Amino acid sequence: MMKPKKLIALFTIVAMSMIVSCSGNSGESSHMHDGSEHSMEPIHVELSWNPVEVSVNQKVVFEAVVTQGSETVDDAKAVLFEIVNKNNEEDKQELEGKLSGNGTYKAEAILMKEGKYDVTSHVTARTQHSMPTKELTVQP
C-alpha cells in the first residue's frame, strides 16, 4: 500500500498534467474559429471563357469570378481550372487561376483537339469549396 504522502504527490502530478494538457489546446481551438470573421453565406463562382466560341489551337482565357453575397472575394486559397476532353478523359489540363482583381481569377490555355470538353473551376475560399462545371465545344 502507498503511503499517504506518495499518494497525494501522485494525485497532484496527475491533476497538474491534466490541467496543462487541457490548457494547451486553447490556441488550437481559437485557430479552428479563425474563419469566423467571414460570412457563412455560400461563395458563388461564375465560370466563363473568352472567346466564347473556341477553335483548335486558339488561346483561351478561362475566368472565375468569385463573390460572397455582394462582396468580391480576392482572398481565395486556391483556384484551379480543370479542362477534360469528353472523348478521352486522359486528355486533361489543370491550370492555376491567378487573381487579376475584383474577385476575378484567370488562366490561359490552348486546346489542340476539337470536341467537347468539361471545364470545372475548383475554388476554395473562406472555408468553402465550389466547383461549377460547364461544357466547352472546340471547333475545327
Side-chain angles (χ1 to χ4, degrees), residues 16-88:
M16 292 299 287
S17 296
M18 290 176 65
I19 290 170
V20 168
S21 67
C22 290
S23 67
N25 288 336
S26 66
E28 188 175 306
S29 65
S30 68
H31 173 72
M32 290 175 64
H33 298 290
D34 282 347
S36 64
E37 74 263 8
H38 296 297
S39 168
M40 287 312 297
E41 186 170 347
I43 59 171
H44 176 75
V45 179
E46 186 61 40
L47 172 62
S48 63
W49 48 82
N50 190 16
V52 175
E53 294 186 15
V54 179
S55 298
V56 171
N57 297 325
Q58 181 179 27
K59 181 173 80 171
V60 183
V61 178
F62 295 94
E63 183 176 285
V65 178
V66 186
T67 56
Q68 186 176 40
S70 61
E71 178 183 337
T72 59
V73 175
D74 287 336
D75 59 352
K77 289 188 188 253
V79 177
L80 181 75
F81 296 95
E82 180 182 39
I83 300 106
V84 180
N85 187 321
K86 287 184 144 189
N87 293 326
N88 179 5

Side-chain angles (χ1 to χ4, degrees), residues 102-113:
N102 296 324
T104 302
Y105 298 81
K106 295 181 179 183
E108 295 180 357
I110 295 176
L111 301 172
M112 309 295 269
K113 297 178 184 169

